[in-house]
Amino acid sequence: METTYRVNRKHLGYNVKRLREILGVKQEDLAERLHLTQQSVSKLENKEDLDNETLEKIANAMNIPSDAIKNFTDEGTVHIVSNTFSGHYSALYNNATINNPIEKIVQLYDEKVELYERMLQSEKEKVALLEELLRDRPNI
């Protein structure tokens, strides 16, 4: 079965959308980075042509070169991902900036565990001080 890929260099909004999807960035996240609304990002993705300034802002927000948006093809991306990155796009995108909800939950959980451990240690220190005070106290 032969697969055909959509080549759409002239529709820059489509290229932005596809790259955003490939990088795992939601419209809401991109909108936040661009200081726009999600609806504005949706409108950008539906535009056939985007000015260079807008392209640069979008490219910077997604940590990719603007030429990647201008010259994007589905076929080229599939080729690069399958042959170069083995399914990992971390070289294309800085993972620290991805707003992945699961990673955020894990991070918050780890922070919570650390906080509980600090609180437990503090309580142990309090108990030890109270026990010491009780031992030093004369019996009445």
Side-chain angles (χ1 to χ4, degrees), residues 116-132:
Y116 281 134
E117 288 174 351
R118 288 194 309 267
M119 290 172 60
L120 180 61
Q121 182 61 35
S122 174
E123 290 301 313
K124 285 179 180 179
E125 291 170 3
K126 286 180 191 176
V127 168
L129 284 172
L130 288 172
E131 287 175 346
E132 185 179 328

Side-chain angles (χ1 to χ4, degrees), residues 77-91:
T77 303
V78 169
H79 176 73
I80 290 169
V81 170
S82 65
N83 292 327
T84 307
F85 300 106
S86 303
H88 300 291
Y89 57 83
S90 60

